[in-house]
Every structure is written in structure tokens, then in C-alpha cells.
Amino acid sequence: MEVDVRLPVARKRVNDVVAENNWHLVAPGDTITTDTGFMRGHGTYMEDDKLLASVAGVVERVNKLVCVRALKTRYNGEVGDIVVGRITEVQQRRWKVDTNSRLDSLLLLSSVNLPGGELRRRSAEDELAMRSYLQEGDLISAEVQAVYSDGALSLHTRSLKYGKLGQGVLVQVSPSLVKRRKTHFHNLTCGASIILGNNGFIWLYPTPEQTEEEAGGFVTNLEPISLSDREVISRLRNCILALATQKMLLYDTSILYCYEASLSHQIKDLLKLEVIEDIVMETRQRLVEQEG
């Protein structure tokens, strides 16, 4: 009978990690500086001529501006960000979308493509048919169009690359781990495609054979997915979680390098801590060699 034996491994102390990265960690209420010449930024407040931290995180200084970047926070959207979200409610002429931010985002009926790609004013019939386009639980990819004064986001899907998502796997990571790039839609060479949402929602799906759709992004392909595609997606999912566990930035190159490093292991073994450390270390070395 085969038995899997795993030995305990000593983890790095937090102080050692902080010293390696030269971080200045603070907790809420800690004094950052008593110098009155600094400007107060996000995550800070003034009290008795001292600059104090209001959140737990890393102190960042830009000239005279001091702010604290929270270690774990909700998504703060910016115009132009690519997000993956889930429909939570259908309202009058709008949908509410969960995008991992403090408030639900809004997708207006006028900000989506009509089925068939028609370009016309939205009528009362379109409003009555909203639930046939998108309903509660549907996943969508969209772009941030505007940020309201209260921090809520306005989304739009006025491009064929956005819209309703079909079959695939959703992976949730911290938004701070997703690296901002020129494009967040990638067809990886391993045989799957990925949408890296700036909000920390990552969508993995089989690479579609037809890249152009004429249905306005509302037709879902429900054909069975082959075993090989499912294995590739499962391996990619475990690789993303491994990189997120080791706090590495997620983008197409790092994910692909981690996937290639994991090929010598079984998919289920990628959840073991010692295997995670091995494949992430190999990924980090390849990235350093590429940059060097």
C-alpha cells in the first residue's frame, strides 16, 4: 500500500521577509513620522502633530507624500480597468455586478451590445428582455467606464471581446497580485485562454476555435469540453493559486513559466506546500534570467 509521507518544513519568519524586501510595516495606530513636513496620503491620519497609520500595510513615500498600501484590501477601480464580475441583481435599465469592490458596480442597459450587434436606442421591449440577456449568477467580462463619487464603478461591454462568459473556471486572488498590462486577454500556448481581471477575478476557459462572434456576446457555447482541455485548465488554476500563495505578480509570462515548471508533477500535487515552493522558485529564477 502506497503511503504519502510529508515532513514539516520551517517557514520563514515575518521579520526575515520584511528585512529582505526592506519594507516598513505598520499596524493601525502606529506612528509613521513626527515630521510635519510630510503630506497625508491614503491610509493615514494626523493626531497630535504625528502622522499615524489607519490600516495595516506597507508605508510608501513619493517625495513628500506618505501613504500606506494595505496588505489585504478590496478592489479600487480605475477607468480603463478590465474586470470579471458576477451579476447579483437585475434592476430598472441596469444590472448590479459583484466586482470584488466595496460597492456593487453598475452595468447600464445602454452600455451593452444588443444581441446581433444592433446599434439603436434602447426601448421598453429591451428593458423587459433584460433577464434574457443577463440574469443573476451570470459571469461577465467588462471594462470600467467611470468611477462615481461614492467609489462605485460604471461598466460597459461595448466590444465583442467583452460580454457574457461561458464554460470555464473562476479563480479569486488578491487584486494587488494582478499586474497591470496593456492587454489582459491572453491565448496561452498551453491550449487555454485567460482573462486577468484587475479586480482579482481570473477566468480560465478553453481557447475558442472561432474568435469572432456576431451575437453581441450573449451566446454561450455549452458543448462538452475535452478531458485534455480540462486537465490544462485545472493545472493552470493550481499554478495561479501557487503563485498567489507565494505573493508573486500574476501576468501571462509568470503563469506560463509556472505551468511549464509544474509539468513534472501531477495536478493534485500542485497544492502541496513543498511542490508550490519548488515550482515558484523555478518560475522566479526564469523571470530573473529573462529580465537580466
Side-chain angles (χ1 to χ4, degrees), residues 1-8 265-266 268-275:
M1 183 178 177
E2 185 177 349
V3 179
D4 185 11
V5 179
R6 301 171 63 189
L7 299 177
H265 303 277
Q266 292 187 14
K268 63 179 181 180
D269 292 338
L270 300 181
L271 299 176
K272 297 178 180 178
L273 182 60
E274 58 271 20
V275 177

Side-chain angles (χ1 to χ4, degrees), residues 87-88 90 95 130-138 164:
I87 303 294
T88 58
V90 181
W95 293 271
M130 283 178 58
R131 202 175 292 274
S132 64
Y133 303 156
L134 295 168
Q135 59 182 345
E136 291 87 345
D138 286 347
K164 187 176 179 180

Side-chain angles (χ1 to χ4, degrees), residues 188-241:
L188 302 179
T189 55
C190 58
S193 297
I194 187 171
I195 302 176
L196 292 163
N198 288 111
N199 59 333
F201 287 3
I202 299 175
W203 181 250
L204 299 167
Y205 62 103
T207 302
E209 297 179 359
Q210 297 179 353
T211 56
E212 296 183 1
E213 296 182 359
E214 299 179 356
F218 294 106
V219 175
T220 304
N221 183 9
L222 297 178
E223 294 182 1
I225 300 176
S226 65
L227 177 61
S228 59
D229 287 342
R230 295 201 301 271
E231 289 178 345
V232 169
I233 292 174
S234 299
R235 185 177 291 274
L236 277 174
R237 181 247 184 203
N238 288 352
C239 288
I240 291 172
L241 293 179

Side-chain angles (χ1 to χ4, degrees), residues 15 24-25 32 57 61 73 90 106 110 146 148 192 201 226 251 288:
N15 293 336
H24 180 194
L25 289 176
I32 300 174
R61 289 184 172 89
T73 182
V90 181
L106 298 178
S110 58
Y148 296 123
F201 287 3
S226 65
Y251 55 104
V288 170

Side-chain angles (χ1 to χ4, degrees), residues 96-203:
K96 296 186 78 170
V97 188
D98 174 20
T99 53
N100 197 26
S101 55
R102 294 182 178 87
L103 299 172
D104 279 346
S105 304
L106 298 178
L107 177 63
L108 301 179
L109 179 60
S110 58
S111 299
V112 303
N113 281 334
L114 292 173
E118 293 182 73
L119 297 175
R120 56 175 172 79
R121 291 177 64 89
R122 307 305 188 262
S123 62
E125 287 78 11
D126 295 322
E127 188 174 349
L128 292 173
M130 283 178 58
R131 202 175 292 274
S132 64
Y133 303 156
L134 295 168
Q135 59 182 345
E136 291 87 345
D138 286 347
L139 286 164
I140 62 167
S141 61
E143 182 179 333
V144 177
Q145 186 177 27
V147 181
Y148 296 123
S149 57
D150 60 354
L153 306 178
S154 175
L155 309 178
H156 82 87
T157 60
R158 288 200 204 93
S159 173
L160 292 182
K161 65 180 179 179
Y162 308 133
K164 187 176 179 180
L165 300 176
Q167 300 187 85
V169 174
L170 180 68
V171 185
Q172 299 184 25
V173 298
S174 173
S176 59
L177 295 178
V178 179
K179 188 174 183 178
R180 293 182 180 273
R181 302 293 291 263
K182 189 174 181 180
T183 177
H184 285 253
F185 293 80
H186 301 285
N187 293 329
L188 302 179
T189 55
C190 58
S193 297
I194 187 171
I195 302 176
L196 292 163
N198 288 111
N199 59 333
F201 287 3
I202 299 175
W203 181 250

